[in-house]
């Protein structure tokens, strides 16, 4: 006879951090004449388990709940792990259930069968105790072989950061509901989601996708929905595989996930338009640019040149695009003014609250101000960088060593740079690309582009903009190259007059051939300057906890030290 096994962990009995883990078999729940009164009619969280699958649930009537589970042929569980505490209530078990769904999906050891997302968690009495308790619960699940990864490692995973199981803000929920309602009640719609890096644009997108497929009231696939009618378009080739993996692992398999050119080619072969199309990072959608003619042949039509946005729109009944006007970084990216013109009739949805960067909401406006990208938001500099680890280093070597040390402690810390050096190692890996002008140390560019930040040796290399846009890091090290300069003619008696400082660029030092406008078309290098400044804006906005910088140009290095000094 199978005997239930009880594992008890007791911690701080007066707090909501004492809990016990009880293991039972399917056979025990199948016995209609047996009940364990320790778990009957009390709030519990449970995990059903077989060799490949898990299912997470909560209940205040677990025997009644399991009478339904036993009838569900899709649940082939053989073991049930039950988490209980005398101090549990409805709010705490909802919270733990939601955390388990999110983390176990990202952990990936088992396939998670849950199709209804966890609850939106609001503040309640004891929430901090539950968060502390969850650390102990997770350790116990690792001991039991239900999970294999530490929580810190999971926090760094793409699937965890952008899964549709995240708790949303009121602003995010409102946007999701607004767009979803238009999609299920009208024959056609156009939506534009905008916001700074870290405001949750991608999470909003994945939440809409999930709610479109699964009715969150019934947990069933939405009636009449065909997943082949849904497409997610990802312009960033380096992150395409991460999105494909995310969609598959959260139960949205069957949805088309392609690059813009792949999507356009596939759409051209369909009998009808896609019903629902979503585009993330749409600031990287392409317009025709002669230097990249071989890659942009799909933008040449009998009626003339066209953009990827126009082509994609023509193949969609409902289209939702995510956009950041400050992340257009190459001549082949759709011009900002033209993009605004093309989307003038779209319904606008603005995300405002910063969730990612510990620097807070003002940091990105501060970057735009001092990179001379925009002055549309007032910035109070004093103390702006307080609580955010922003440092100006004295050499590339110092910056590189600091980021490597941080990576040992936190993981997902990388060094990136402006495109001011040739990619010599692309043809000969025995060469080097970047030389520190102070120490003479030699470094290499990224050895690959797709998936670079997650490859084993990426911390040994220096990434370019095309490896990092759209991603985030725990700490980022940013090297300013000689292609960017600063005129500090306003200096008087050692005081720096920032109002007279001017950002300049040196075209001959910029090595991205596809990033240079066609010769003779860029008066005073204004177009190139806008691209280079935006590239650094993107690089400087990647670090969640901190950003270390160094500029090889002495004027730029001095400028960085001044603006940091007045903002700490």
């Amino acid at each position: 006879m199978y005997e239930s096994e009880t594992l008890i962990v007791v911690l701080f009995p007066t707090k909501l951090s004492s809990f016990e883990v009880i293991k039972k078999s399917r056979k025990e729940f199948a016995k209609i004449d047996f009940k364990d009164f320790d778990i009957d009619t009390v709030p519990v969280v449970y995990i059903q388990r077989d060799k490949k699958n898990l299912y997470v649930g909560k209940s205040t009537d677990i025997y009644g709940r399991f009478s339904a589970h036993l009838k569900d042929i899709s649940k082939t569980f053989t073991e049930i792990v039950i988490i209980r505490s005398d101090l549990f209530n409805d709010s705490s078990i909802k919270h733990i259930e939601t955390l388990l769904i999110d983390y176990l999906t990202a952990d990936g050891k088992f396939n998670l069968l849950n199709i209804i997302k966890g609850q939106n968690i609001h503040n309640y009495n004891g929430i901090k105790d539950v968060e502390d308790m969850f650390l102990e619960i997770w350790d116990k699940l690792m001991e039991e072989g239900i999970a294999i990864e530490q929580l810190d490692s999971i926090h760094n995973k793409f699937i965890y950061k952008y899964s549709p199981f995240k708790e949303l803000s009121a602003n995010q929920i409102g946007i999701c509901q607004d767009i979803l309602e238009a999609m299920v009640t009208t024959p056609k719609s156009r939506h534009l989601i905008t916001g700074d890096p870290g405001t949750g644009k991608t999470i909003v997108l994945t939440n809409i996708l999930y709610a479109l497929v699964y009715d969150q009231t019934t947990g069933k696939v939405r009636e009449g929905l065909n997943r082949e009618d849904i497409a997610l378009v990802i312009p960033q080739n380096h992150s395409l595989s991460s999105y494909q993996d995310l969609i598959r692992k959260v139960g949205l398999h069957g949805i088309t996930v392609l690059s813009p050119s792949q999507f356009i080619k596939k759409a051209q072969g369909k009998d009808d338009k896609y019903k629902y199309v979503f585009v993330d990072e749409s600031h990287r959608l392409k317009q025709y640019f002669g230097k990249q003619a071989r890659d942009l042949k799909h933008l040449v039509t009998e009626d003339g040149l066209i953009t990827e946005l126009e082509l994609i729109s023509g193949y969609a009944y409902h289209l939702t695009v995510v956009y950041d006007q400050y992340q257009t970084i190459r001549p082949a990216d759709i011009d900002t003014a033209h993009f605004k013109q093309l989307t003038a009739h779209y319904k606008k949805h603005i995300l405002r609250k910063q969730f990612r960067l510990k620097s807070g909401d003002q940091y990105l406006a501060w970057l735009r101000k001092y990179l001379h990208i925009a002055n549309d938001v007032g910035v109070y500099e004093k103390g702006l960088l307080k609580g955010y680890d922003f440092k100006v280093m004295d050499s590339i070597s110092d910056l590189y060593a600091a980021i490597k040390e941080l990576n040992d402690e936190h993981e997902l810390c990388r060094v990136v740079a402006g495109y001011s050096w040739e990619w010599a190692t692309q043809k000969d890996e025995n060469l080097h690309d970047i030389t520190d002008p102070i120490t003479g140390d030699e470094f290499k560019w990224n050895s690959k582009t797709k998936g670079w930040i997650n490859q084993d040796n990426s911390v040994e290399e220096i990434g370019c903009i095309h490896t990092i846009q759209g991603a985030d890091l725990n700490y980022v090290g940013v090297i300013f190259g000689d292609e960017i300069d600063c005129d500090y003619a306003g200096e008087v008696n050692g005081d720096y007059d920032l109002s007279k400082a001017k950002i300049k660029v040196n075209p001959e030092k910029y090595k991205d051939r596809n990033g240079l406008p066609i010769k003779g078309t860029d008066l005073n290098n204004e177009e190139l300057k806008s691209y280079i400044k935006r590239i650094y804006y993107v690089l400087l906005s990647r670090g969640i906890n901190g950003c270390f910088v160094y500029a090889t140009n002495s004027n730029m290095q001095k400028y960085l030290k001044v603006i940091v000094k007045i903002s700490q």
Side-chain angles (χ1 to χ4, degrees):
M1 177 179 176
Y2 183 97
E3 294 184 359
S4 65
E5 178 184 355
T6 303
L7 304 172
I8 301 178
V9 179
V10 180
L11 300 163
F12 308 109
T14 60
K15 287 188 176 182
L16 190 57
S17 49
S18 3
F19 66 93
E20 53 186 314
V21 174
I22 302 168
K23 293 165 60 178
K24 289 188 177 292
S25 71
R26 184 187 185 102
K27 290 180 180 179
E28 285 182 281
F29 277 98
K31 293 179 180 179
I32 60 174
D33 60 343
F34 174 81
K35 287 187 177 182
D36 182 341
F37 292 103
D38 285 338
I39 60 173
D40 186 30
T41 64
V42 298
V44 299
V45 180
Y46 59 87
I47 302 171
Q48 298 176 19
R49 174 184 184 183
D50 62 24
K51 290 182 178 180
K52 295 182 179 179
N53 303 303
L54 297 178
Y55 179 86
V56 178
K58 61 174 176 58
S59 181
T60 54
D61 179 16
I62 194 167
Y63 285 99
R65 184 76 182 93
F66 267 74
S67 64
H69 283 312
L70 290 167
K71 296 174 185 176
D72 187 344
I73 60 173
S74 70
K75 296 187 176 70
T76 58
F77 62 92
T78 55
E79 183 181 66
I80 304 95
V81 175
I82 299 159
I83 305 164
R84 71 168 297 277
S85 169
D86 290 338
L87 300 176
F88 271 176
N89 56 34
D90 192 51
S91 295
S92 55
I93 61 173
K94 283 180 183 179
H95 191 180
I96 293 172
E97 177 195 40
T98 298
L99 291 171
L100 286 173
I101 290 172
D102 203 6
Y103 280 103
L104 288 170
T105 299
D107 180 81
K109 180 177 181 181
F110 289 88
N111 175 45
L112 202 67
L113 297 177
N114 292 76
I115 56 176
I116 296 182
K117 298 190 300 177
Q119 306 278 331
N120 283 322
I121 304 302
H122 304 287
N123 195 28
Y124 61 89
N125 186 31
I127 189 170
K128 181 63 169 64
D129 290 333
V130 166
E131 291 168 349
D132 292 341
M133 172 199 263
F134 186 77
L135 303 177
E136 302 290 338
I137 290 174
W138 190 261
D139 287 343
K140 184 56 62 179
L141 296 183
M142 291 184 68
E143 288 179 22
E144 292 298 310
I146 292 173
I148 57 174
E149 293 207 50
Q150 297 285 349
L151 292 178
D152 287 348
S153 295
I154 290 177
H155 289 161
N156 291 327
K157 297 178 75 170
F158 186 93
I159 187 174
Y160 173 77
K161 291 178 179 178
Y162 302 113
S163 85
F165 305 134
K166 288 282 180 295
E167 180 186 356
L168 302 182
S169 69
N171 178 209
Q172 291 171 329
I173 291 171
I175 290 173
C176 289
Q177 291 175 340
D178 196 8
I179 295 175
L180 184 64
E181 182 180 4
M183 288 181 172
V184 299
T185 61
T186 63
K188 182 179 179 181
S189 66
R190 294 290 182 272
H191 302 273
L192 178 68
I193 301 173
T194 64
D196 284 342
T199 53
K201 299 185 294 294
T202 299
I203 289 174
V204 166
L205 207 61
T206 59
N207 269 271
I208 298 169
L209 270 168
Y210 201 88
L212 180 62
V213 173
Y214 295 107
D215 186 313
Q216 292 300 287
T217 302
T218 65
K220 297 180 179 179
V221 174
R222 200 173 289 278
E223 188 175 348
L225 183 86
N226 183 350
R227 296 191 195 196
E228 293 183 355
D229 283 337
I230 306 173
L232 175 60
V233 181
I234 306 299
Q236 303 278 38
N237 282 329
H238 67 79
S239 56
L240 180 59
S241 61
S242 297
Y243 280 88
Q244 291 169 334
D245 187 52
L246 168 67
I247 291 301
R248 177 177 56 83
K249 287 185 176 179
V250 300
L252 295 176
H253 43 277
I255 290 176
T256 298
V257 185
L258 297 171
S259 70
S261 59
Q262 291 170 339
F263 168 80
I264 291 164
K265 184 176 180 180
K266 186 169 183 177
Q268 288 170 342
K270 279 175 61 74
D271 294 333
D272 196 5
K273 300 177 182 181
Y274 279 88
K275 192 166 185 181
Y276 309 101
V277 179
F278 302 83
V279 185
D280 204 0
E281 308 281 347
S282 65
H283 36 267
R284 297 309 313 276
L285 290 175
K286 299 293 180 279
Q287 61 188 8
Y288 188 79
F289 179 58
K291 287 186 179 181
Q292 293 179 257
R294 185 177 63 178
D295 300 323
L296 302 175
K297 292 182 290 186
H298 58 293
L299 302 182
V300 182
T301 72
E302 293 180 357
D303 299 323
L305 302 179
I306 196 169
T307 67
E308 284 183 336
L309 178 60
E310 291 168 282
L311 284 172
I312 291 169
S313 181
Y315 293 119
Y317 286 106
H318 296 276
L319 176 61
T320 300
V321 300
V322 169
Y323 183 67
D324 182 346
Q325 64 175 325
Y326 300 116
Q327 293 200 52
T328 299
I329 60 167
R330 266 181 165 183
D333 297 341
I334 300 176
D335 176 75
T336 302
H338 189 37
F339 193 99
K340 289 181 178 180
Q341 181 184 16
L342 292 173
T343 57
H345 63 290
Y346 285 36
K347 184 168 183 180
K348 309 299 190 295
H349 308 271
I350 303 174
L351 290 164
R352 302 185 186 279
K353 183 174 175 57
Q354 175 61 239
F355 292 99
R356 185 177 72 199
L357 302 174
K358 287 189 176 178
S359 50
D361 297 341
Q362 284 283 291
Y363 173 68
L364 295 169
W366 180 78
L367 289 179
R368 292 195 292 268
K369 176 177 180 177
Y370 285 114
L371 286 171
H372 298 175
I373 293 173
N375 287 298
D376 55 341
V377 178
V379 180
Y380 180 71
E381 287 89 356
K382 187 64 178 176
L384 184 141
L385 295 175
K386 188 176 182 180
Y388 188 62
D389 198 1
F390 196 108
K391 295 178 182 177
V392 182
M393 310 302 285
D394 293 324
S395 68
I396 295 176
S397 298
D398 287 348
L399 184 150
Y400 179 83
I403 294 298
K404 282 196 70 175
E405 185 176 342
L406 286 165
N407 188 70
D408 291 339
E409 181 179 354
H410 301 281
E411 298 183 346
L412 207 60
C413 304
R414 302 291 182 267
V415 179
V416 294
Y419 217 139
S420 192
W421 295 269
E422 297 281 2
W423 191 6
T425 53
Q426 184 181 28
K427 296 180 179 179
D428 185 350
E429 62 182 18
N430 295 314
L431 298 175
H432 69 278
D433 302 298
I434 298 170
T435 301
D436 188 331
I438 304 298
T439 67
D441 291 339
E442 298 172 343
F443 304 90
K444 293 184 178 184
W445 274 125
N446 47 279
S447 52
K448 61 182 291 188
T449 301
K450 292 183 179 179
W452 174 75
I453 63 170
N454 294 312
Q455 73 179 43
D456 292 339
N457 67 327
S458 59
V459 71
E460 308 289 340
E461 300 173 343
I462 293 175
C464 72
I465 182 64
H466 307 303
T467 65
I468 204 71
Q469 194 168 15
D472 56 32
L473 303 166
N474 289 323
Y475 285 85
V476 65
V478 180
I479 304 167
F480 287 72
D482 282 343
E483 87 284 21
I484 189 166
D485 191 0
C486 182
D487 183 347
Y488 62 100
E491 187 176 13
V492 179
N493 297 326
D495 292 328
Y496 200 108
D497 186 350
L498 290 172
S499 67
K500 295 182 180 179
K502 294 181 180 179
I503 300 293
K504 303 188 299 183
V505 296
N506 301 313
E508 70 280 2
K509 298 291 185 180
Y510 188 59
K511 305 303 180 182
D512 185 355
R513 286 168 292 181
N514 291 330
L516 288 165
I518 293 173
K519 194 171 183 179
T521 64
D522 186 15
L523 185 64
N524 297 324
N525 298 313
E526 288 301 315
E527 183 181 353
L528 176 61
K529 183 162 63 175
S530 72
Y531 294 140
I532 290 175
K533 290 191 296 184
R534 290 178 183 185
I535 285 170
Y536 281 104
Y537 173 71
V538 173
L539 299 180
L540 292 162
S541 64
R542 298 303 97 189
I544 296 171
N545 300 309
C547 177
F548 293 7
V549 299
Y550 170 75
T552 57
N553 179 288
S554 59
N555 291 339
M556 196 69 198
Q557 177 77 346
K558 187 170 186 177
Y559 180 64
L560 290 171
K561 287 184 176 181
V562 171
I563 63 173
V564 170
K565 183 178 180 180
I566 66 171
S567 302
Q568 287 179 328

